[in-house]
Structures are given as structure tokens and as C-alpha cells.
Amino acid sequence: MSVRRKYDRIPDPMSRRLPAYYRMLQELEAAGQTDISSLELARMMNLTDSQIRHDLSSFGGFGRRGLGYNVSLLKKSIGDIMDINRKHRLIVIGAGNIGRAVAMYAGFREAGFEVEALFDVDPQRIGVAIGQAQVYSMEELEQYLKNNPVDIAVLATPVSQAQKVLDILGALGVTGVWNFVPATLNAPEGTIVFNVHLADSLMALSFRMHEKVVVEKNEGWTEA
Amino acid sequence: MSVRRKYDRIPDPMSRRLPAYYRMLQELEAAGQTDISSLELARMMNLTDSQIRHDLSSFGGFGRRGLGYNVSLLKKSIGDIMDINRKHRLIVIGAGNIGRAVAMYAGFREAGFEVEALFDVDPQRIGVAIGQAQVYSMEELEQYLKNNPVDIAVLATPVSQAQKVLDILGALGVTGVWNFVPATLNAPEGTIVFNVHLADSLMALSFRMHEKVVVEKNEGWTEA
DNA sequence: TAGATTGTTAATCGATTAACAATC
DNA sequence: TAGATTGTTAATCGATTAACAATC
């Protein structure tokens, strides 16, 4: 791939915007829009046009001066950057509520992220089919990974087991972990862990709701 | 509450750290640690001690010079700031995979976020019990909200229905929405919407995994 | 008291925005 | 060509880090 990059590592705020660009371009493509300017896109996404041009040009110019960006081409390019224009194979560790919901959520499959197997220690869960996949015993994990290389493991165990399982995954060569366990984990060398702390976002919502009320009730600083 | 605040609106990066502080303090409290310095906390959370002191002092000094911070007091204070030291009543709109998983996830209930009802249009789902709650018809939503004021609505409908339902929620006076629908929605006036785009974080993980490989294979810039 | 560690201000760093030449 | 809009550099803004006086 010949994408120009101006950073050693893309800044985090910018990497968070990439999926948002992609989603918006998907919507535009579905709506049949073929071209878009940075200004239009900015209005729809609550960003500035300047920021959009800055972001996109840092990957190397997907637009045409005077004409704007081609929706399909830009979507394809951003997809390449994120490496999502191919199938990803996932396994899920822990077949509880969260693990099952991830395995059954059709949206991921549509986006090319396919859950191929789940693993659990509970004999009640082993052998059960969840969506397109099946629950295996944790004891089968090592053999499974030898026969079926996976791209990403979804971590959805109880908190008490999470670090141990993460270490095992790292030792077995899994390089990407999508972690739903609300614990502070140490990533094994060579493994990237992306944390989804659902309760955190719920707290953040509570905080903003509360803050809003305080600000409305009492303009200016609240001094101790 | 007499929390000192130095900002009109707490900066977003800082508001993201508040739940992380809270979670870490919970772990420390559970482990029986009574006091902690900004330096220790920084090491455990991969932050700088300076940032921690800066963050905490902006809410108004919970520490004691020479001694550090009291774990329980700090946890309580941050809980007050986020307004999570009380029960929150939730309803879930859409009793599909995600809606059901949220309703059944014990972690939220333990943190004081209680799902009291779900709503759906599918007659097959109506009347079914999910965790501690029950699925009602969407037609019952308005009456339900009149009788049972809720703090937060979880939006987990199909994409096609999301904006319509969000507008209804706004009109019925719901001030906080925790949105799991992967669409770009317009928040009704007076309603705070917190978006959880699960697919986005999966794409972000894919991006970082891909970026890492590129960087390792080829130091320096890749020019077009 | 001496040592430790906070709270706070100033310095630095990095991300966003503004401006405009390049060019379709 | 004239108008539009990108790509890119410079200016600004905001967040993080450093430094150290205050004080437990």
C-alpha cells in the first residue's frame, strides 16, 4: 500500500476520527452521493473543514482541488488505512452476556469481522451454538489457534480470570485483543489491547448530565 | 455539593480519566490500601504524577501535602463529581442482542445503574423477562415514563428507527441517552447523547494493529 | 525538624484552526 | 478563464508536563 504518512504514529484523536469518517462515507455512499467537499463533510460531522483536509492530506491527498472528494474512493482509501477491506477472524473468550452479544451482533459480520468460535470453562456452555459459531472448552484453545490463525480475540471473561487469559493469548501469539473486562490489564509484549470499558462511558454520561445541571443552576465558578 | 471547579466545562480528555481514576481507586480500596501518592497512582495508570495532581486539584484538593490521597475519600469525591453515588434508573429501547446484554449485565447494577424496563415493537419479545426487567410494547413508553421517571435511556434499536425514537425520548423529557446504534444522530434540545460505537473501536484496533506492522517492517516514512 | 508530597503557576508540547497558494 | 476547493504551512489554542513554594 502506498499511503503517505507524515507521522511516526498517527495521533490518537485523529485515529478516533478515522472510523467516524468511514461510517459517514458509508452513509453517503448508501444515499447515492458521489462527491463531497470538506466543508459539507465538516457540517455533517461537527468538525471543521480545515481539520478534515488536514487529516486526509496527512495520509496523502485523496481529493481534487476545486472538486472535492470522491465518496467511494475516499471510503476505500480510509478502509485501506484501517485495514478493514478484508475479512478478520475473531474468537471470543468467555461466553457470558457480553461474549454472546458480540458473537451474535450482525453488524460486525457485515463489516467483515467474523466470530468463528467462543471459548468458556463452564460445561453448561460448551458445545452450544451462538450465532454462526460454537462454544469450545478453554482446553481446546491452544490446539484451535494452531489450526485456525485468528486476527483478534475478544476478552469477555470474569475480572478474576482476565489477566491470566490475556497472558495465555499473548503466549499463543494473538496480536490483537478487544477487551470488555473492566479491569486494568497489562498487555503482553507484542499484543495490542483495545479496552472497551462500558461502565466508563456510562459514568461519563452521568458526569456530563450532572455537570450540565450544575452549570445551568449556577453560572460561574462554584467555590469551595 | 461544594466542589471547586476551574473550568466552565471540564475538558474532554480529563472527563475520560475520571472513570479510570474511579475504577483504579475501587481496586485499591478492595485491596485494602488506604492511602496513595500521585506518583504511585501515576505508575499504575500510565499517567504522570503531575497530570494526576493537576486533574485532582482542579476539582479542589483532595490530598494532604506530605501524605498523599486517602483512597476511600478520593473515590467518594470522584463519585460525587460524576454523580454515581446514587441509584440511576435506566430503560432500554430495543430488546435485541445489545439491549438484552445491557439489561442482563450485572456490572451496571452493581454500580447503581438499574435497568427497570425494556421496550420493543416485536410482539415475540414483549412480555418476556430479561434479567430483573421486563419487555414492554413501545406503545406503553409514554405512559411508563409518566409513572416512572428514568435517568437514562439506552438506545439499541435498528439504525432505521434510531433518530425517530431519539426524538420521541427527547420529547418525553429524557435527558440522558446512551446510544449503541451505529448512526450519526442529532440530539434533541436538552438531551445529552453519549455514543458507544462498538464497531468504531474494533476498526481502531484493526488500524493500530496494521500501523504497527507497517512501522515494524519499514522504519521512517512511506512516501507515495 | 526533616522528609515527603501536594497544589499551583509557568513552560512546553501537541492538536486544531486559519490562511492562502496551488490547481482542478 | 473564473470559481471552487484542496493541500500545506503558519498561527493559535488547549492540554500536558515541569518546577517549586506551601505545608503536612
Side-chain angles (χ1 to χ4, degrees):
Chain A
M1 207 187 38
S2 64
V3 166
R4 180 148 46 104
R5 294 167 64 214
K6 301 198 170 169
Y7 303 90
D8 188 5
R9 186 179 193 272
I10 298 297
D12 205 58
M14 187 165 150
S15 78
R16 287 170 191 276
R17 287 192 292 271
L18 286 176
Y21 288 139
Y22 191 82
R23 183 157 26 81
M24 183 55 74
L25 290 163
Q26 253 180 337
E27 287 179 30
L28 288 167
E29 195 179 48
Q33 188 164 345
T34 56
D35 295 276
I36 193 155
S37 69
S38 55
L39 194 65
E40 272 184 279
L41 199 53
R43 282 207 200 94
M44 289 188 296
M45 296 183 66
N46 274 321
L47 301 171
T48 63
D49 57 324
S50 193
Q51 179 160 68
I52 288 175
R53 290 198 302 279
H54 200 273
D55 281 355
L56 297 181
S57 91
S58 80
F59 287 110
F62 305 117
R64 293 143 307 159
R65 290 172 207 244
L67 298 170
Y69 301 88
N70 177 280
V71 171
S72 296
L73 176 67
L74 185 55
K75 177 185 153 232
K76 167 81 168 58
S77 303
I78 293 178
D80 281 340
I81 291 164
M82 296 193 295
D83 191 31
I84 57 172
N85 290 332
R86 67 172 181 95
K87 215 176 94 174
H88 284 76
R89 279 177 295 258
L90 273 64
I91 56 169
V92 175
I93 315 292
N97 284 318
I98 299 282
R100 286 200 304 271
V102 169
M104 291 182 68
Y105 187 49
F108 301 137
R109 183 164 288 268
E110 283 160 21
F113 293 90
E114 303 194 354
V115 173
E116 312 224 305
L118 295 89
F119 293 86
D120 206 299
V121 291
D122 183 347
Q124 295 266 306
R125 291 172 176 171
I126 296 167
V128 173
I130 310 276
Q132 312 280 315
Q134 218 219 109
V135 183
Y136 295 90
S137 159
M138 273 302 282
E139 286 163 17
E140 299 174 76
L141 178 62
E142 182 163 2
Q143 193 58 47
Y144 183 92
L145 286 175
K146 275 185 187 151
N147 299 334
N148 308 273
V150 304
D151 298 292
I152 292 170
V154 181
L155 194 59
T157 66
V159 170
S160 59
Q161 305 303 308
Q163 185 65 56
K164 194 181 73 186
V165 170
L166 178 57
D167 292 339
I168 291 169
L169 289 169
L172 294 176
V174 174
T175 54
V177 173
W178 198 27
N179 173 45
F180 283 81
V181 181
T184 309
L185 302 176
N186 290 110
E189 185 71 31
T191 302
I192 297 182
V193 178
F194 196 103
N195 296 300
V196 179
H197 291 319
L198 288 176
D200 283 17
S201 72
L202 193 46
M203 291 182 201
L205 174 58
S206 173
F207 168 63
R208 287 292 181 208
M209 289 170 70
H210 186 55
E211 181 185 49
K212 185 161 173 282
V213 172
V214 171
V215 170
E216 281 179 1
K217 278 190 186 159
N218 182 5
E219 285 292 337
W221 311 136
T222 306
E223 292 288 333
Chain B
M1 209 191 28
S2 63
V3 167
R4 180 146 46 104
R5 296 167 62 214
K6 300 197 171 169
Y7 302 92
D8 186 5
R9 185 180 193 273
I10 298 298
D12 204 57
M14 189 166 149
S15 77
R16 286 171 192 276
R17 286 192 292 271
L18 286 176
Y21 287 138
Y22 191 81
R23 183 157 27 79
M24 183 55 73
L25 290 162
Q26 250 178 340
E27 287 178 31
L28 287 168
E29 195 178 48
Q33 188 164 345
T34 57
D35 296 275
I36 193 155
S37 69
S38 55
L39 195 64
E40 272 183 280
L41 198 54
R43 283 208 199 93
M44 288 189 296
M45 295 182 67
N46 273 321
L47 300 172
T48 63
D49 57 324
S50 194
Q51 180 161 67
I52 288 174
R53 291 197 302 278
H54 200 272
D55 282 355
L56 297 181
S57 91
S58 80
F59 288 109
F62 305 116
R64 294 143 305 159
R65 291 171 205 244
L67 299 170
Y69 301 88
N70 178 281
V71 171
S72 297
L73 175 67
L74 186 55
K75 177 185 152 235
K76 166 81 168 58
S77 303
I78 293 178
D80 281 340
I81 291 165
M82 295 193 295
D83 190 31
I84 57 172
N85 290 332
R86 67 172 181 94
K87 213 175 96 174
H88 284 76
R89 278 178 294 259
L90 273 63
I91 56 169
V92 175
I93 315 292
N97 285 318
I98 299 284
R100 286 201 303 271
V102 169
M104 291 183 68
Y105 187 49
F108 302 136
R109 182 165 289 267
E110 284 161 20
F113 293 91
E114 303 195 354
V115 173
E116 311 224 305
L118 296 89
F119 293 86
D120 206 298
V121 291
D122 183 348
Q124 295 267 306
R125 291 172 177 170
I126 296 167
V128 173
I130 310 276
Q132 313 279 316
Q134 219 220 108
V135 184
Y136 295 90
S137 159
M138 273 301 282
E139 285 163 19
E140 299 174 76
L141 178 61
E142 181 163 1
Q143 194 58 46
Y144 182 93
L145 286 175
K146 275 186 187 149
N147 299 335
N148 307 275
V150 304
D151 298 292
I152 292 170
V154 181
L155 193 60
T157 65
V159 170
S160 60
Q161 306 302 309
Q163 184 65 57
K164 194 181 75 187
V165 171
L166 178 56
D167 291 339
I168 290 170
L169 289 169
L172 293 176
V174 174
T175 54
V177 173
W178 199 28
N179 172 44
F180 283 81
V181 181
T184 309
L185 302 175
N186 290 110
E189 185 69 32
T191 302
I192 298 182
V193 178
F194 195 104
N195 296 299
V196 179
H197 291 319
L198 288 176
D200 282 19
S201 73
L202 194 45
M203 291 183 202
L205 173 59
S206 173
F207 169 64
R208 287 291 182 210
M209 289 170 71
H210 185 56
E211 181 185 50
K212 183 160 172 287
V213 172
V214 171
V215 170
E216 280 179 1
K217 279 190 184 157
N218 181 5
E219 285 292 335
W221 312 137
T222 306
E223 292 288 334

